[in-house]
Amino acid sequence: MDQLEDLTRRLEALEAIEEIKALKARYFRFVDEKKHDDLAALFTPDSTLVTDGITWESPQHFAYTIRDLTGAAPSVHHGHMPEIEITGPDTASGIWAMEDLLTFPAGPDAPEGHNGYGQYRETYRKVDGRWLIDTLELTRFRMDPLDNWTADE
């Protein structure tokens, strides 16, 4: 491989890594902005999603469960320190540290709010020129309870 080919290969890898970082940024933003259809569209149609040991039947089921669980409750999701490896011309893998913050309107049946810390392990596939999440596994290492809130009267 000559220098130009090597430089081209390295540049393409860096571009792919930046595109994958933008993909994951959209994932977190769409969760917090309640854009559930846009969230589901970030995955390959046959993707595998596992969060805290729960396997979801489809990206839509995952996104709509988030919608139904959180409603309009404010949430904050962050991904940090990505380790992304290009594994083939159209494939990659990544590990992300994460933190999420979620509280709900107080009530007798309200889920408990939490501040969670953990890790995403993912694979990505380029489909029709777009990077998509192909597999996602979220493991939370710690979850601190947070009080739910009541609306100001």
Side-chain angles (χ1 to χ4, degrees):
M1 179 180 304
D2 69 18
Q3 278 188 314
L4 182 57
E5 289 172 334
D6 183 53
L7 186 58
T8 300
R9 180 191 57 78
R10 290 168 54 200
L11 177 60
E12 289 171 350
L14 288 172
E15 287 176 333
I17 289 169
E18 289 304 312
E19 290 171 11
I20 291 167
K21 287 178 183 178
L23 168 69
K24 192 63 179 181
R26 285 189 298 276
Y27 167 91
F28 290 120
R29 181 169 57 84
F30 290 163
V31 170
D32 292 336
E33 291 180 349
K34 317 302 184 201
K35 294 182 175 179
H36 303 102
D37 289 326
D38 293 334
L39 174 64
L42 299 178
F43 295 87
T44 60
D46 58 344
S47 61
T48 301
L49 293 88
V50 180
T51 60
D52 297 318
I54 299 168
T55 301
W56 302 94
E57 61 189 57
S58 70
Q60 291 77 17
H61 184 234
F62 172 70
Y64 294 169
T65 299
I66 291 171
R67 176 197 65 200
D68 295 343
L69 177 65
T70 63
S75 64
V76 177
H77 290 80
H78 287 206
H80 309 277
M81 305 179 312
E83 301 172 46
I84 299 171
E85 179 183 352
I86 305 304
T87 57
D90 296 321
T91 58
S93 63
I95 302 171
W96 296 79
M98 63 76 66
E99 180 178 3
D100 62 356
L101 196 89
L102 184 59
T103 59
F104 298 91
D109 297 324
E112 184 176 61
H114 71 265
N115 191 179
Y117 311 87
Q119 184 178 85
Y120 283 91
R121 291 183 176 266
E122 299 176 330
T123 61
Y124 311 96
R125 188 166 19 125
K126 197 171 194 178
V127 178
D128 297 327
R130 277 183 64 217
W131 284 101
L132 299 172
I133 301 169
D134 197 36
T135 64
L136 175 152
E137 183 176 3
L138 168 60
T139 303
R140 286 191 178 86
F141 302 139
R142 177 179 173 149
M143 287 184 53
D144 296 331
L146 293 177
D147 291 335
N148 288 328
W149 47 273
T150 55
D152 292 334
E153 296 185 34

